[in-house]
Amino acid sequence: MKAWQANIRTVTPYVPGEQPKGGNLIKLNTNENPYPPSPLVKKAIDEMDYDTFRKYPDPSSTVLTKALCEYYQMEEDEIFVGVGSDDVIAMSFLTFFNSEKPVLFPDVSYSFYQVWAELFHIPFETPVLNEHFLIRKEDYYKENGGIIFPNPNAPTGVFMPLSEVEDIIAHNQESVVIVDEAYIDFGGESAAGLIKKYENLLVVQTFSKSRSMAGMRIGFAMGNKELIRALNDVKYSYNSYTMNMPAQVLGAEAVKDDCYFRQTVEKIITTREKAKERLSELGFVFPDSMTNFIFASHKEKKAEDIYLALREKQIFVRYFKQPRLDNYLRITIGTDEEMEKLYDFLEKFL
Amino acid sequence: MKAWQANIRTVTPYVPGEQPKGGNLIKLNTNENPYPPSPLVKKAIDEMDYDTFRKYPDPSSTVLTKALCEYYQMEEDEIFVGVGSDDVIAMSFLTFFNSEKPVLFPDVSYSFYQVWAELFHIPFETPVLNEHFLIRKEDYYKENGGIIFPNPNAPTGVFMPLSEVEDIIAHNQESVVIVDEAYIDFGGESAAGLIKKYENLLVVQTFSKSRSMAGMRIGFAMGNKELIRALNDVKYSYNSYTMNMPAQVLGAEAVKDDCYFRQTVEKIITTREKAKERLSELGFVFPDSMTNFIFASHKEKKAEDIYLALREKQIFVRYFKQPRLDNYLRITIGTDEEMEKLYDFLEKFL
């Protein structure tokens, strides 16, 4: 090994889900929204003046932050925006998790948590979900350097009632508790209402799922202004200009169109509820989902076999080849038309 | 102090240059390009399909990386792209500077280097520029945990001949040496040609100045594939999807239009050379600039007074209120028309 190589940070990088390309495929593997963003987004991109690209974007993303404040009834200094919720959460690990004590997150959860902890050399422990894939709140009533969990959880789709979320926060007022609500808009109840009550609570959401803007990379955190100031201080010490101009302008337009947002979410929820019926009829079992995906296991057929058979027909779902999860498929809720094609194939195959 | 506050990372954040707003002002304070991006960028934004925003962007930014490879005659695994060169360099600090020995960078230089070192708890030393604002290469012939310097340097504008850059690299083959070439396209000679010779060399450039894309946030690093792999591993451990779809697509278009790029840079260089004459006539002295700005001090008038007087006339230049720099103005090269207005005012004022 050469000398300069010895000082390279060694990490086990996260592997993103595959992004198959082609016209005729059905993509139910990365929890994207099957519907386009709001027509206001279309209008704004159609009217965008390319000459403005030569200037630095607003470092504080005011137009986007203001739109979010108005929508969520927060103050401007209670919201932080970043390049997807991944950026927001990574920045939060760097900002808040600087204790010698272990950070806690569920063993079956968003796999990036462990990657971030390792990247920043943060100690961590992963309490085990129970046999129904539920978080046991009592596992989080112990000394820790911080807590993070998704609600609803991923890839299980399970929503934890807000009263239990509050129990975890209330038992941990000496730590920053992050509730990662990437999927909250699909039927769950957000913890954002608890921010006024608990100053150690940070709630993170994203535009990638319910707002159809995965390609634009927009995430945000809501919390008391001291947490947000600390996040901004670290952000301004990393990169002053993280949000490019189109993300700011188009993101703000997406937030403004509440009517379209509600309609789209409603359509996905309706399709999901129907999917629960159809998948049950087809012999699948799954924890009840409050997200835009269903985490399903078949009573007879092995998940990997179904995954591969679907793949051959250009229908992509997510399969995790890892302990406890390797007999499940994570199936994103697509359009009704896409889901019918899925059921048609499964009926023949199973 | 509450318990959760004790674990917050404390930093002194970077303060970005002011972004004044309004129609009639002349903005010569943040080294932006006075000309719009390539017409190919305009065409691509006009044709952009907003429906594609609902999908995650390509995590490896293939279309942008390929365009850069073709332009700079590199292989795809020798190029890394990020959210502005700030993101690329911050990621490089995190990836490469993990030694107990101090990282070296000039005392007068891009002020973010110190901010990143403090953010990531990296020890550093800052060798002093000589009285002509030149880097003394011998200052970098000592034990270190890595080296970074801009060439041309900022905010001085001074270009170091490539032979001296090579001397520094050759003397430090046990460290990663980063040459930050944000301003290289305005007349300097890039160190990119040395990458095949020195495996420890990383060259960083940006779309924010010469390619008129500050608002899009695009930077990139070129280096041997082992360095680029290490950077990508850390990037994929931080955020798989840093570059949003518009940045990838519009960035690629900007690179393809070499003719427009050369014309724009040539115009700025011509305006800059004329600015050197005019500013000299007006009683300014400055190190010879190879960038899109001039770092000038007046023989009689105090820099701060000139700065404030200009500001009152809605002409914005950058003033650094810090030791050694506080009698200088950093004046971005604008259009000929903008520069004439600057000279006209200065003639009257001085």
Side-chain angles (χ1 to χ4, degrees):
Chain A
M1 187 187 275
K2 292 151 207 154
W4 59 267
Q5 291 171 313
N7 295 324
I8 290 181
R9 189 171 289 252
T10 51
V11 290
T12 314
Y14 176 83
V15 181
E18 65 188 328
Q19 292 289 2
K21 272 177 192 135
N24 235 345
L25 54 85
I26 296 180
K27 197 165 172 306
L28 307 174
N29 68 331
T30 52
N31 297 343
E32 289 153 337
N33 197 309
Y35 303 107
S38 153
L40 292 187
V41 173
K42 175 170 168 46
K43 185 162 177 283
I45 185 105
D46 286 349
E47 290 171 357
M48 192 165 278
D49 177 8
Y50 86 117
D51 179 51
T52 58
F53 296 163
R54 68 182 181 81
K55 289 195 185 161
Y56 279 95
D58 173 10
S60 48
S61 301
T62 313
V63 62
L64 177 58
T65 309
K66 275 199 170 147
L68 285 166
C69 287
E70 202 153 304
Y71 191 82
Y72 290 101
Q73 301 289 308
M74 308 287 290
E75 300 298 317
E76 267 184 69
D77 55 4
E78 294 172 329
I79 291 208
F80 172 86
V81 298
V83 181
S85 58
D86 284 348
D87 182 39
V88 174
I89 301 174
M91 206 71 89
S92 301
F93 270 60
L94 190 60
T95 306
F96 302 119
F97 295 164
N98 293 290
S99 166
E100 303 289 308
K101 297 174 197 160
V103 167
L104 307 179
F105 48 84
D107 69 329
V108 173
S109 187
Y110 187 34
S111 53
F112 237 123
Y113 298 157
Q114 182 164 340
V115 176
W116 287 316
E118 286 170 356
L119 173 66
F120 296 129
H121 303 157
I122 298 167
F124 63 94
E125 280 176 22
T126 57
V128 177
L129 295 189
N130 78 9
E131 69 277 22
H132 306 294
F133 285 135
L134 300 181
I135 290 173
R136 290 180 292 216
K137 62 183 182 184
E138 296 78 10
D139 291 345
Y140 296 81
Y141 298 171
K142 60 195 273 191
E143 264 209 325
N144 63 71
I147 288 174
I148 181 166
F149 56 88
N151 195 35
N153 197 5
T156 64
V158 176
F159 175 71
M160 182 196 281
L162 198 55
S163 59
E164 295 189 32
V165 172
E166 181 165 1
D167 284 341
I168 292 179
I169 302 165
H171 273 84
N172 287 285
Q173 297 188 47
E174 314 227 310
S175 301
V176 173
V177 178
I178 303 176
V179 186
D180 175 0
E181 298 188 334
Y183 299 99
I184 196 70
D185 294 324
F186 300 105
E189 191 184 356
S190 173
L194 299 173
I195 286 170
K196 296 272 184 270
K197 194 165 168 190
Y198 300 99
E199 61 185 12
N200 59 322
L201 168 63
L202 195 76
V203 175
V204 178
Q205 297 190 7
T206 174
F207 282 46
S208 298
K209 321 292 182 190
S210 54
R211 295 191 188 275
S212 309
M213 299 277 270
M216 202 55 61
R217 315 308 302 124
I218 306 171
F220 60 103
M222 297 179 280
N224 95 66
K225 61 186 179 186
E226 198 177 341
L227 292 179
I228 300 301
R229 187 176 49 231
L231 264 179
N232 267 316
D233 281 355
V234 168
K235 170 235 161 92
Y236 283 116
S237 302
Y238 182 85
N239 186 355
S240 309
Y241 304 100
T242 53
M243 306 297 288
N244 68 15
M245 193 275 272
Q248 296 185 28
V249 171
L250 303 177
E253 293 304 307
V255 179
K256 284 177 196 163
D257 197 348
D258 187 40
C259 179
Y260 180 86
F261 169 69
R262 285 173 191 268
Q263 283 171 358
T264 306
V265 165
E266 210 42 63
K267 276 199 282 188
I268 293 169
I269 290 174
T270 306
T271 308
R272 178 189 70 204
E273 294 308 308
K274 191 164 173 200
K276 289 179 186 172
E277 282 175 35
R278 295 298 306 274
L279 291 173
S280 290
E281 289 163 13
L282 287 161
F284 284 93
V285 290
F286 41 85
D288 191 37
S289 167
M290 290 282 260
T291 62
N292 69 337
F293 60 83
I294 292 176
F295 192 60
S297 184
H298 195 265
K299 287 178 192 157
E300 286 149 26
K301 276 272 185 194
K302 274 168 65 180
E304 189 168 13
D305 294 343
I306 305 172
Y307 161 72
L308 290 171
L310 283 167
R311 207 168 184 280
E312 210 154 283
K313 291 284 168 193
Q314 294 283 80
I315 300 175
F316 292 82
V317 299
R318 187 85 188 255
Y319 174 68
F320 300 90
K321 201 168 185 141
Q322 64 190 69
R324 262 193 111 178
L325 308 185
D326 61 0
N327 202 25
Y328 284 83
L329 300 174
R330 194 192 68 187
I331 305 166
T332 304
I333 303 301
T335 61
D336 285 325
E337 199 191 352
E338 288 171 330
M339 299 307 282
E340 286 304 328
K341 284 185 185 153
L342 173 74
Y343 310 140
D344 285 352
F345 172 79
L346 288 174
E347 249 170 23
K348 282 175 220 142
F349 177 75
L350 292 169
Chain B
M1 186 187 276
K2 294 150 205 154
W4 59 268
Q5 292 172 313
N7 295 324
I8 289 182
R9 188 171 292 251
T10 50
V11 291
T12 314
Y14 176 82
V15 180
E18 65 187 329
Q19 293 287 2
K21 274 176 189 136
N24 236 345
L25 56 86
I26 296 181
K27 197 166 172 306
L28 306 175
N29 70 332
T30 53
N31 297 344
E32 289 153 337
N33 197 310
Y35 303 107
S38 153
L40 292 186
V41 172
K42 174 168 169 48
K43 186 164 178 281
I45 186 107
D46 286 348
E47 291 171 356
M48 192 165 277
D49 177 9
Y50 86 117
D51 179 51
T52 58
F53 296 163
R54 69 182 181 82
K55 290 194 186 162
Y56 280 94
D58 172 11
S60 47
S61 301
T62 313
V63 62
L64 177 57
T65 309
K66 276 199 171 147
L68 286 166
C69 286
E70 203 154 305
Y71 190 82
Y72 290 101
Q73 301 288 306
M74 306 288 289
E75 301 297 317
E76 268 184 68
D77 54 6
E78 295 171 330
I79 290 207
F80 172 86
V81 298
V83 181
S85 58
D86 284 348
D87 181 39
V88 174
I89 301 174
M91 206 70 90
S92 300
F93 270 60
L94 190 59
T95 306
F96 302 119
F97 294 164
N98 293 290
S99 167
E100 302 289 308
K101 297 174 198 159
V103 166
L104 307 179
F105 48 84
D107 69 328
V108 172
S109 187
Y110 187 34
S111 54
F112 236 123
Y113 298 157
Q114 181 165 340
V115 176
W116 287 317
E118 286 169 357
L119 174 65
F120 296 129
H121 303 156
I122 298 166
F124 64 93
E125 280 175 20
T126 56
V128 177
L129 295 189
N130 77 10
E131 70 276 21
H132 305 297
F133 284 136
L134 301 180
I135 291 173
R136 288 180 294 217
K137 63 183 182 184
E138 296 77 11
D139 290 346
Y140 297 82
Y141 298 172
K142 60 195 272 193
E143 264 211 325
N144 63 72
I147 288 173
I148 182 166
F149 55 88
N151 195 35
N153 197 6
T156 63
V158 176
F159 175 71
M160 183 196 282
L162 198 55
S163 60
E164 294 188 32
V165 172
E166 181 165 2
D167 284 340
I168 292 179
I169 304 164
H171 274 85
N172 287 285
Q173 297 190 46
E174 314 226 312
S175 301
V176 173
V177 178
I178 302 176
V179 185
D180 176 359
E181 297 187 337
Y183 299 99
I184 197 69
D185 293 324
F186 300 104
E189 192 184 356
S190 172
L194 298 174
I195 286 170
K196 296 272 184 271
K197 195 167 167 189
Y198 299 99
E199 62 185 13
N200 60 320
L201 168 63
L202 196 75
V203 175
V204 177
Q205 297 190 7
T206 174
F207 282 45
S208 298
K209 321 292 179 186
S210 53
R211 295 191 188 277
S212 307
M213 299 276 271
M216 202 53 63
R217 316 307 303 126
I218 306 170
F220 61 102
M222 298 180 276
N224 95 68
K225 61 185 180 187
E226 199 178 339
L227 293 179
I228 299 302
R229 187 176 49 231
L231 264 177
N232 269 315
D233 282 355
V234 169
K235 168 233 161 96
Y236 283 116
S237 301
Y238 182 86
N239 185 356
S240 307
Y241 303 99
T242 52
M243 306 297 288
N244 69 13
M245 193 276 271
Q248 295 186 27
V249 170
L250 303 177
E253 293 304 307
V255 179
K256 285 178 195 161
D257 199 348
D258 186 40
C259 179
Y260 180 85
F261 169 68
R262 285 172 191 268
Q263 281 170 0
T264 306
V265 165
E266 207 45 60
K267 275 199 282 189
I268 292 168
I269 291 175
T270 305
T271 308
R272 178 189 70 207
E273 293 308 308
K274 193 167 168 194
K276 290 179 187 172
E277 281 174 38
R278 295 298 308 272
L279 291 173
S280 290
E281 289 164 13
L282 287 161
F284 285 94
V285 289
F286 41 84
D288 192 38
S289 166
M290 290 282 259
T291 63
N292 69 337
F293 61 83
I294 292 176
F295 192 59
S297 185
H298 196 264
K299 287 178 192 159
E300 286 148 26
K301 278 270 184 194
K302 272 169 66 181
E304 189 167 14
D305 294 343
I306 306 173
Y307 161 73
L308 291 170
L310 284 168
R311 208 167 182 282
E312 211 153 281
K313 291 284 167 191
Q314 293 284 81
I315 301 175
F316 291 83
V317 300
R318 186 85 189 255
Y319 174 67
F320 301 90
K321 202 166 186 146
Q322 63 191 69
R324 261 195 111 178
L325 308 185
D326 61 0
N327 202 26
Y328 284 84
L329 301 174
R330 194 192 67 186
I331 305 166
T332 303
I333 303 301
T335 60
D336 283 324
E337 199 190 351
E338 289 171 328
M339 299 306 282
E340 287 303 329
K341 284 184 186 153
L342 172 74
Y343 310 140
D344 284 352
F345 173 77
L346 288 174
E347 251 170 23
K348 280 173 223 142
F349 177 74
L350 292 169

